[in-house]
Amino acid sequence: MSLISVKDLTVSRGGMPVLEGLNLAVSKGEILVLRGPNGAGKTTLLRTLAGLQPAYAGGVVADPETVAYAGHADGLKATLTVTENLAFWAGVYGGHDITPALAHFNLESLKSRPAGNLSAGQKRRLGLARLMVTGRPVWVLDEPTVSLDKASVAIFAEAVKTHVGAGGAAIIATHIDLGFEETVFDVTPYKARHDVVRNDFDESFDEAFR
Amino acid sequence: MAINWNALWEWANPRKFMSWTDRALPVFAVLAALMFVAGLVWGFFFTPDDYRQGATVKIFYLHVPSAMMAINIWAMMLVTSLIWIVRRHHVSVLAAKSAAGIGATMTLIALITGAIWGKPMWGTYWEWDPRLTSFLILLLFYIGYMALWEAIDNPDTAADLTSVLCLVGSVFAILSRYAVLFWNQGLHQGASLSMDAEENVADVYWYPALVAIAGFVLLFITLVLLRTRTEIRARRLHALEMRERVAEQ
Amino acid sequence: MIRLFWRDITLSFRSGGGFGLGLAFFLILVTLIPFGVGPESELLQVIAPGILWIGALLACLLSLDRIFALDFEDGSLDLLATAPIPLEGVVAVKALAHWITTGLPLVIAAPALGFLLHLDSAAYRWLIITLLVGTPALSFIGAFGAALTVGLKRGGLLMSLLILPLYIPTLIFGAEVVRRGAGGFLVGTPLAMQAGITMGAVALLPFAAAAAIRVALR
């Protein structure tokens, strides 16, 4: 039984399809790594998986409370402290304990610093620590290792492993090797074809409107 | 993408729309021109002067139809926006977009002719009378709606957001109408052309007015079809540009 | 949701949060009026109800573009949209927090400013009541306008253009209540109308605003 699966999915950006014919499924204990050049549509796919944008065609099958999404922005408030930021998201997602997350991402010493005072890497760590307090099984992560140093990348990789080991799953768009036993999914072959003129549609179809 | 259009919606499928409007547009244009000119010439030159208002009353043939259109166009936009929200029908929302500019112009015409008429009648161009004020507010709603369309790049996003604005705006427009009535009772005469009113305008004025109104309606239909065609072409162009950009990557 | 409410309140009190800005703006506006129209107390007394209501309205508008835009920029809005709480609730809570931090201080400060404008003594009671009843509508209508313009660069001006016409009924009834209160007339009708608008706005606009945010995020 997969936690999240997609069937014949087409995702679009600005009303134009970017990836089409996607079929994939992620089950408990699996890590799926998305690869592909910049602008290929990885972010668009991840946002569609997280339910932030509708599928252009096909669909995503998942319980609505499956996905914890982490995008390019961390959702942190500069004037709130590390604890306050984390406690807020923990509260929103149903009141999980924040202590293990703080400990895991080495944030305990920074606990009472306002998030605005943190370095980019520290902010990122806090943003990722948020995933641990959501209590959701599938982590959907967009370039999670941006601005992390080597040690932090290792911490992050460890967090993902622990999460997956405990019956979770992760879908990660990244360019670096995190040392997982992972399934690699290259999105390049699924690029929507715009160079071929299609004439297989019926008379009433107009490609500018759908 | 097999889309199952039923008979009515077929007319509004972008391709079908383009083909039938291509044929219908000249007919509407000619009819609009005929009725418009006939109504105005009849009204301006072949009706007697009013015993109280003199020749100034004749601005009525511009003022009343444009004021009626100003309100009815908003109502039409509300309906087409609802169709977009419920049925995701592109031509519908583009028709609303096209109608907004015409509606704003009609509102402006009603306000300006009203001001010109108001000077000899009430001795002032502008008075914070409920009707006048309501039209000014209506103009603000039109401007806001158009500004929101202009501000958003993605056409579907713009369609969704402007439709929501149109919906909420309609409620507030009606609220404003009653609020304004409450605020100032006003000196504007009652509606000039209502079916049930005892004291309606005399038949001599009534018939040319009807022709002028028909002219305005036809003019609106012509313009809205023309502008919707332009919008559809703009959308196709946009789609082609997007396809080029994606294909280049 | 209670978490979100307290977070928004806390944020507005922290540095750069904007608490008090609306209040200061209200004070400045009321101070400027006599310089513009002259110091005659009779004249000021006549225009005071309108000025106080318009001041409250503009002060409210001032902080509205922050209501969603900041959360949109730092990614919080994405996360809130995927969170287990309904987006309609998020909108309602944020509008409520906006009212507590912007509208409520205005209600409290208004009598003092009414004093500066020689507001008729019979009107104070009604000024407070009508602001208390009417300003929530300003926050909720404003939240709708802010939701419409959330994804736009420099959406603030457009937001004002969209919101101000929607404020007209609230303004009319609000100022009318104070005017009637000052004249010793019955205020029941406009006050009831205003309460109706507020209740309608609080009940329905979060749905429209949430729909707009979903569209803006995709």
Side-chain angles (χ1 to χ4, degrees):
Chain A
M1 183 58 200
S2 56
L3 287 167
I4 186 167
S5 66
V6 307
K7 199 170 175 334
D8 292 328
L9 180 73
T10 301
V11 297
S12 64
R13 186 172 49 215
M16 291 297 284
V18 284
L19 294 171
E20 60 188 5
L22 294 158
N23 282 294
L24 51 91
V26 177
S27 311
K28 280 185 181 175
E30 280 188 354
I31 298 174
L32 186 74
V33 170
L34 298 181
R35 300 223 195 257
N38 291 336
K42 297 189 297 295
T43 296
T44 312
L45 174 58
L46 292 176
R47 286 183 70 86
T48 310
L49 290 175
L52 284 166
Q53 63 177 72
Y56 186 85
V60 179
V61 184
D63 190 271
E65 303 209 344
T66 307
V67 170
Y69 172 78
H72 298 295
D74 292 314
L76 302 176
K77 293 292 173 194
T79 49
L80 296 184
T81 66
V82 169
T83 317
E84 283 170 329
N85 268 301
L86 206 54
F88 165 67
W89 288 114
V92 166
Y93 283 90
H96 299 267
D97 188 11
I98 64 166
T99 333
L102 282 176
H104 193 96
F105 281 92
N106 268 345
L107 290 164
E108 278 167 324
S109 55
L110 305 169
K111 227 154 75 166
S112 48
R113 288 255 295 273
N117 280 353
L118 301 182
S119 73
Q122 289 167 332
K123 275 185 198 159
R124 196 72 206 168
R125 261 154 54 199
L126 178 53
L128 295 171
R130 182 185 57 81
L131 293 166
M132 294 184 71
V133 302
T134 59
R136 293 205 165 168
V138 181
W139 290 2
V140 170
L141 312 175
D142 194 359
E143 304 283 4
T145 54
V146 169
S147 64
L148 290 185
D149 60 17
K150 223 171 191 169
S152 302
V153 170
I155 292 174
F156 162 70
E158 199 50 49
V160 174
K161 277 181 197 155
T162 314
H163 171 68
V164 170
I171 303 173
I172 308 172
T174 184
H175 295 285
I176 65 168
D177 184 15
L178 291 161
F180 299 137
E181 288 172 27
E182 63 202 25
T183 316
V184 173
F185 185 86
D186 190 350
V187 298
T188 321
Y190 298 91
K191 187 181 171 191
R193 301 287 299 270
H194 294 283
D195 48 341
V196 268
V197 176
R198 292 173 51 185
N199 46 19
D200 56 334
F201 37 72
D202 65 89
E203 192 205 344
S204 65
F205 178 75
D206 190 323
E207 70 167 328
F209 302 95
R210 66 168 295 287
Chain B
M1 245 107 323
I3 300 163
N4 186 17
W5 307 98
N6 57 38
L8 181 67
W9 300 107
E10 196 142 318
W11 288 88
N13 168 278
R15 288 188 168 198
K16 293 267 167 59
F17 180 84
M18 289 305 269
S19 83
W20 78 259
T21 50
D22 192 37
R23 280 173 278 128
L25 203 53
V27 181
F28 279 118
V30 170
L31 276 177
L34 279 177
M35 295 293 251
F36 197 75
V37 172
L40 291 188
V41 170
W42 186 359
F44 282 167
F45 301 109
F46 300 98
T47 55
D49 287 353
D50 186 82
Y51 75 98
R52 264 185 314 129
Q53 305 188 8
T56 57
V57 77
K58 289 180 175 179
I59 203 165
F60 166 93
Y61 297 103
L62 281 173
H63 180 68
V64 170
S66 59
M68 288 173 78
M69 293 311 291
I71 296 167
N72 290 332
I73 290 172
W74 186 274
M76 171 255 175
M77 284 163 56
L78 174 61
V79 173
T80 48
S81 296
L82 270 174
I83 293 176
W84 161 253
I85 292 175
V86 177
R87 299 224 26 167
R88 314 299 293 173
H89 211 301
H90 285 89
V91 177
S92 181
V93 79
L94 289 182
K97 182 187 184 187
S98 314
I102 309 170
T105 314
M106 289 292 179
T107 314
L108 209 56
I109 293 175
L111 282 171
I112 291 170
T113 53
I116 296 171
W117 196 5
K119 184 64 183 170
M121 287 301 303
W122 306 328
T124 173
Y125 287 111
W126 181 258
E127 191 63 47
W128 287 96
D129 164 273
R131 265 171 201 259
L132 275 64
T133 312
S134 298
F135 269 81
L136 194 61
I137 296 172
L138 185 61
L139 186 65
L140 297 178
F141 276 101
Y142 274 121
I143 292 172
Y145 178 87
M146 290 190 290
L148 190 60
W149 260 110
E150 290 310 313
I152 304 168
D153 292 330
N154 184 320
D156 277 0
T157 308
D160 281 332
L161 293 180
T162 51
S163 296
V164 174
L165 176 67
C166 185
L167 226 65
V168 174
S170 301
V171 176
F172 276 89
I174 293 167
L175 267 177
S176 303
R177 173 88 185 101
Y178 286 100
V180 164
L181 269 179
F182 183 85
W183 164 75
N184 189 350
Q185 300 303 328
L187 40 74
H188 196 289
Q189 55 195 289
S192 312
L193 298 172
S194 62
M195 292 303 171
D196 52 333
E198 288 286 315
E199 29 170 343
N200 240 324
V201 285
D203 283 353
V204 267
Y205 302 113
W206 187 199
Y207 292 124
L210 274 185
V211 177
I213 290 167
F216 267 83
V217 172
L218 285 164
L219 177 69
F220 166 68
I221 293 174
T222 309
L223 288 176
V224 87
L225 290 181
L226 199 65
R227 284 169 63 100
T228 308
R229 284 170 64 83
T230 312
E231 291 294 340
I232 289 176
R233 289 193 169 125
R235 278 293 292 273
R236 288 183 173 162
L237 198 62
H238 178 76
L240 283 177
E241 279 174 355
M242 291 289 287
R243 159 202 278 272
E244 284 285 304
R245 219 176 298 156
V246 177
E248 273 167 18
Q249 275 176 6
Chain C
M1 296 234 259
I2 295 163
R3 284 273 184 181
L4 178 64
F5 176 72
W6 285 115
R7 182 193 73 148
D8 269 29
I9 303 270
T10 315
L11 279 175
S12 84
F13 282 106
R14 294 277 162 92
S15 61
F19 177 80
L21 273 184
L23 210 54
F25 178 81
F26 194 24
L27 173 66
I28 291 169
L29 193 83
V30 169
T31 314
L32 288 181
I33 295 297
F35 297 130
V37 302
E40 295 82 10
S41 58
E42 295 81 16
L43 178 63
L44 289 175
Q45 185 169 23
V46 172
I47 61 170
I51 297 300
L52 289 169
W53 250 99
I54 292 176
L57 190 148
L58 292 176
C60 207
L61 192 69
L62 197 66
S63 54
L64 270 172
D65 62 337
R66 313 171 64 96
I67 193 169
F68 299 122
L70 294 181
D71 278 342
F72 178 76
E73 282 161 19
D74 66 19
S76 301
L77 209 52
D78 278 347
L79 303 177
L80 285 171
T82 52
I85 48 179
L87 201 50
E88 287 78 5
V90 170
V91 172
V93 164
K94 289 184 78 73
L96 184 66
H98 177 266
W99 179 70
I100 302 271
T101 54
T102 310
L104 203 56
L106 294 179
V107 178
I108 295 163
L113 300 179
F115 186 71
L116 290 179
L117 293 175
H118 303 284
L119 185 70
D120 191 283
S121 58
Y124 281 99
R125 189 159 38 122
W126 298 114
L127 177 70
I128 297 171
I129 291 174
T130 186
L131 282 172
L132 205 56
V133 170
T135 44
L138 299 183
S139 288
F140 276 79
I141 295 170
F144 168 67
L148 281 179
T149 52
V150 71
L152 301 174
K153 304 248 180 316
R154 289 181 294 280
L157 192 61
L158 177 64
M159 187 196 70
S160 314
L161 183 66
L162 298 180
I163 292 178
L164 284 175
L166 302 180
Y167 276 174
I168 291 171
T170 305
L171 172 65
I172 288 178
F173 291 124
E176 186 69 23
V177 168
V178 186
R179 248 191 318 259
R180 289 193 179 192
F185 301 109
L186 289 174
V187 298
T189 315
L191 195 58
M193 296 293 277
Q194 196 183 36
I197 292 173
T198 301
M199 283 188 254
V202 171
L204 299 176
L205 284 178
F207 292 94
I213 289 175
R214 284 202 190 91
V215 170
L217 286 181
R218 74 180 185 216

